[in-house]
Amino acid sequence: DDVLVEDQTTIYCGWDDAALYVAADCRDPQRRPIVAQLRDRDSAVFMEDAVDLFLQPAPGPYPYYQLVSNAAGTVYDSRIDARQATKTDTHFNPHWTVATTRAPGRWTLEARIPFTELGRPAPKEGERWRVNFCRDWKGPVASTSWSGTPRYHDVARFGPLAFRRRAPSVRVESLGDPAPGPLDCNAS
């Protein structure tokens, strides 16, 4: 549904010549217990309180990458390519860095993803990737998606991420109390 959820997540992105940086502020106004018990790489951390990063650097639907971290900093990473015999390659284990913190009513994630780990040079000025940022939580089981796709792997619905050195930005501090119904927003 195209509605705001109570548990808002804010995503921040940045980049330099070496890496993409992503931060997530995962709020929980009800202060439910955070579920992040899995500790093994490539375990099903997306079934706990987690943030999923979907990155599609090259044009076309494949390959794309799913990088996930739970609130404990345990990661799952895979390379997805339907043209290959093994569609989801969980042996893809890039060297990316994740740090998480927990506080009452929220948890945060910071990630550094070197471009070389995705087999690419640094993006050129103005280059665009297709991406999706998603959040999972366990209690109760729920999920949200930045690009508004009900299925995280719906590549056609990934949104654009533009690499610009100097880009205008807008920061919305609050939209007030969440309410059911559609949200319309215009920016210029």
Side-chain angles (χ1 to χ4, degrees), residues 7-188:
D7 300 353
Q8 289 291 301
T9 304
T10 305
I11 300 288
Y12 302 92
C13 294
W15 65 293
D16 61 21
D17 290 337
L20 173 66
Y21 301 88
V22 179
D25 182 8
C26 304
R27 290 181 222 117
D28 179 8
Q30 295 183 25
R31 297 182 179 214
R32 293 175 288 243
I34 294 171
V35 177
Q37 299 172 346
L38 297 172
R39 296 293 187 264
D40 295 329
R41 184 176 201 145
D42 291 334
S43 56
V45 297
F46 40 80
M47 299 300 293
E48 299 185 320
D49 288 282
V51 170
D52 301 52
L53 313 172
F54 289 87
L55 307 173
Q56 181 189 22
Y62 301 106
Y64 67 92
Y65 304 90
Q66 180 183 14
L67 307 176
V68 186
S69 174
N70 69 5
T74 304
V75 298
Y76 168 94
D77 30 42
S78 64
R79 181 180 188 272
I80 295 97
D81 191 338
R83 302 168 299 184
Q84 304 298 320
T86 305
K87 178 182 175 189
T88 302
D89 179 6
T90 56
H91 296 292
F92 170 76
N93 289 318
H95 298 285
W96 59 301
T97 308
V98 173
T100 60
T101 59
R102 298 183 200 192
R106 73 179 353 126
W107 68 276
T108 61
L109 167 138
E110 296 178 28
R112 179 182 185 274
I113 305 152
F115 297 119
T116 56
E117 294 298 312
L118 303 177
R120 301 190 52 85
K124 295 184 180 353
E125 174 71 19
E127 185 173 328
R128 289 176 179 258
W129 290 10
R130 306 279 299 159
V131 299
N132 197 7
F133 305 107
C134 308
R135 178 178 172 194
D136 314 297
W137 58 94
K138 186 70 174 171
V141 175
S143 60
T144 58
S145 167
W146 169 75
S147 68
T149 178
R151 295 183 332 250
Y152 288 1
H153 291 269
D154 188 351
V155 179
R157 303 245 342 234
F158 285 8
L161 175 65
F163 291 89
R164 302 217 181 266
R165 296 277 180 206
R166 299 198 186 280
S169 63
V170 175
R171 181 173 176 165
V172 178
E173 292 291 333
S174 174
L175 293 174
D177 293 329
L183 172 69
D184 291 322
C185 180
N186 293 312
S188 55

